[in-house]
Amino acid sequence: MAGTSEAGVRFEGVSVAYGKHPVLEDFDLTVAPGEVMALLGPSGSGKTTALRAVAGFVRPASGRVLIGGRDVTGLPPYRRGTGMVVQQYALFPHLRVAGNVAFGLRARKVPREQIAARVAEALDMTGMADYARRYPRELSGGQQQRVALARALAIRPKVLLLDEPLSALDARLRSDLLAELARLHRELPEVSMLYVTHDQVEALTLADRIAVLDRARLRDCGTPQQLYRHPRTEFTASFVGNANLLPVTVGPAGTVDFAGTRLSVATGDATHGASATLCVRPHLVGLGDGPNPLRGAIAEVQWRGATHRLYVDVAGRRLKADLRELRESPAPGDEVTLHFAAEDAVLIGAGVADV
């Protein structure tokens, strides 16, 4: 569906500033043809600015943006071959669904005899073929977002830009549309997607790779599995999934010290005696006796349907444990023992080699 077989995006040292305030600094990233790259980070991290730089809505102060190997830094948005979907739909209320989807085609002066077929194709892909005659006000939020997606697809973009496209929807609709985006990715393997989100679940579910941004800079990049299982920084560990982060000192081979307790973990080539951070995911923490026992007091218990989340104060740190629904849940103040397996912990820092 893309206009050429060669797509993909490359940022080369891209910096953007609003006045004297940098919002993206020395940003280097390559998105392969057909790849879904999630830009993940907190508000103000620079992820939307990066997306807008690809779309042509902001001009970098330095660096280049390339699409399909072509430098598009100085080109207007309509000449870049990108389609964009934003969180607030941005549909024209006076146009019917078909008219909204056709808008980009008319702006690009696509021959009139081709427009109807392109509109029908895009609506069919997004499951909105039966709603072509309706106005936006006659649609639900999820349906409006599908129309916005159809409008972006109708121009047959080489790159699809998605800026928090699900954030205005309720949980059920988000789940449904996330599945639709995954299906479209399978059906349009030649289209690269840049997906901006602050929702880690969306990024982990949809992306081939995730770029983690914070304070205008790229902090990490890798597959969802790499970033989740082997985070390279504390920020990545805490932002990509929930994490227990424990300050430790590297001990003899295969051990660390946490608040006077020796724990067995994989330390690799970490420097003996160095300070480091131990990352353990909450769902890998068990309750009761086991390897690497840590004794503490229950601070809070949250029932989450299929699981209980326990918050346990251990040596001045609050640890999280996600456990399958307990028949008898401990109460705040109860003394409990948590444990985790050595292979389920990841050491960050202390000279540990990147994965």
Side-chain angles (χ1 to χ4, degrees):
M1 196 169 179
T4 175
S5 59
E6 183 184 14
V9 178
R10 188 161 78 250
F11 299 85
E12 294 183 349
V14 173
S15 295
V16 178
Y18 297 144
K20 295 183 178 180
H21 179 63
V23 291
L24 195 65
E25 294 187 84
D26 199 24
F27 187 65
D28 289 298
L29 185 70
T30 298
V31 184
E35 182 178 34
V36 177
M37 175 72 76
L39 302 181
L40 181 66
S43 297
S45 60
K47 55 190 188 297
T48 293
T49 299
L51 198 77
R52 290 172 63 83
V54 177
F57 299 142
V58 297
R59 180 73 180 265
S62 61
R64 301 194 305 164
V65 177
L66 296 92
I67 296 177
R70 180 177 65 141
D71 187 348
V72 299
T73 311
L75 293 181
Y78 65 88
R79 291 185 57 194
R80 296 188 178 212
T82 63
M84 191 165 186
V85 181
V86 298
Q87 56 183 297
Q88 294 299 335
Y89 322 137
L91 301 179
F92 297 107
H94 65 288
L95 295 179
R96 299 179 190 270
V97 164
N100 269 281
V101 176
F103 182 83
L105 297 171
R106 294 194 176 101
R108 287 164 173 77
K109 303 188 184 307
V110 173
R112 180 174 298 181
E113 61 273 15
Q114 297 180 22
I115 290 178
R118 297 266 288 270
V119 168
E121 176 190 36
L123 289 175
D124 185 61
M125 290 189 69
T126 55
M128 293 299 292
D130 294 337
Y131 299 84
R133 298 289 298 165
R134 294 194 185 185
Y135 287 99
R137 64 178 178 272
E138 299 172 324
L139 304 175
S140 68
Q143 290 169 335
Q144 290 185 58
Q145 195 61 298
R146 288 171 188 264
V147 174
L149 183 58
R151 180 176 58 190
L153 293 173
I155 64 171
R156 296 179 176 172
K158 294 175 287 185
V159 177
L160 184 60
L161 308 173
L162 301 121
D163 187 7
E164 302 273 12
L166 310 183
S167 62
L169 307 176
D170 61 37
R172 175 67 180 274
L173 284 175
R174 281 201 304 272
S175 178
D176 290 347
L177 274 177
L178 197 60
E180 286 296 305
L181 288 171
R183 178 185 61 79
L184 284 171
H185 176 39
R186 293 191 298 270
E187 294 182 1
L188 301 171
E190 72 278 17
V191 177
S192 303
M193 296 187 190
L194 264 175
Y195 188 97
V196 165
T197 182
H198 65 275
D199 188 310
Q200 56 184 277
V201 174
E202 292 179 15
L204 291 170
T205 301
L206 186 63
D208 297 310
R209 287 192 298 149
I210 300 172
V212 182
L213 288 84
D214 183 41
R215 289 173 291 182
R217 288 188 174 274
L218 178 66
R219 302 296 175 179
D220 214 338
C221 187
T223 68
Q225 293 83 1
Q226 288 171 337
L227 298 186
Y228 187 83
R229 295 173 180 166
H230 301 284
R232 289 183 278 260
T233 67
E234 289 188 29
F235 182 80
T236 299
S238 61
F239 207 84
V240 181
N242 287 299
N244 293 303
L245 300 175
L246 306 179
V248 297
T249 302
V250 179
T255 67
V256 296
D257 179 88
F258 167 63
T261 299
R262 180 159 291 183
L263 304 172
S264 297
V265 300
T267 56
D269 58 357
T271 306
H272 181 257
S275 297
T277 300
L278 194 68
C279 171
V280 187
R281 299 294 183 183
H283 74 279
L284 298 174
V285 177
L287 181 64
D289 294 332
N292 292 325
L294 294 169
R295 189 77 176 166
I298 296 287
E300 184 182 352
V301 178
Q302 295 178 353
W303 180 66
R304 301 188 172 191
T307 63
H308 276 91
R309 162 71 63 84
L310 305 186
Y311 292 87
V312 182
D313 289 333
V314 178
R317 311 290 295 190
R318 183 156 292 185
L319 275 63
K320 296 170 286 191
D322 289 340
L323 307 167
R324 295 188 64 178
E325 188 174 8
L326 302 171
R327 292 184 182 276
E328 294 185 11
S329 172
D334 287 353
E335 291 286 327
V336 297
T337 299
L338 302 177
H339 67 269
F340 62 90
E343 59 269 24
D344 290 335
V346 176
L347 199 62
I348 300 171
V352 180
D354 286 349
V355 176

